[in-house]
Amino acid sequence: MRKRRSFKEIREAYEGYVSDSELKFKELTPFEQKKIRDKIIQQAKKDRWLEIQNYFIALLILVFLGFLFYALFLD
């Protein structure tokens, strides 16, 4: 049976395969930051509205099916 490897052994095994890379972000002016922020807010509002519409349509379908089953089994 093989013994389980420790975290240190696993880290040493991967040492040559991964590298520490630094992320570099583009410097933005305050106007560009506001523009991007406004786009994100606008997209979030659109997504929220679409989600509300989907729930409303699902509710209408459930109500319709409820009335349909009620009408069928009423007889």
Side-chain angles (χ1 to χ4, degrees), residues 32-64:
E32 291 172 322
Q33 289 175 352
K34 183 174 178 357
K35 209 162 98 173
I36 292 171
R37 180 180 172 272
D38 291 342
K39 280 184 183 179
I40 292 171
I41 290 172
Q42 185 179 16
Q43 185 64 43
K45 285 181 181 179
K46 187 187 296 183
D47 291 345
R48 193 177 327 125
W49 178 246
L50 287 174
E51 187 176 2
I52 290 170
Q53 284 179 336
N54 289 338
Y55 281 121
F56 184 72
I57 291 170
L59 180 67
L60 287 178
I61 291 171
L62 286 174
V63 168
F64 174 74

Side-chain angles (χ1 to χ4, degrees), residues 4-22:
R4 290 184 62 178
R5 297 190 320 178
S6 68
F7 176 74
K8 184 178 178 184
E9 292 171 342
I10 294 172
R11 187 178 62 196
E12 288 172 355
Y14 280 100
E15 201 166 284
Y17 297 105
V18 295
S19 64
D20 293 332
S21 58
E22 208 173 293

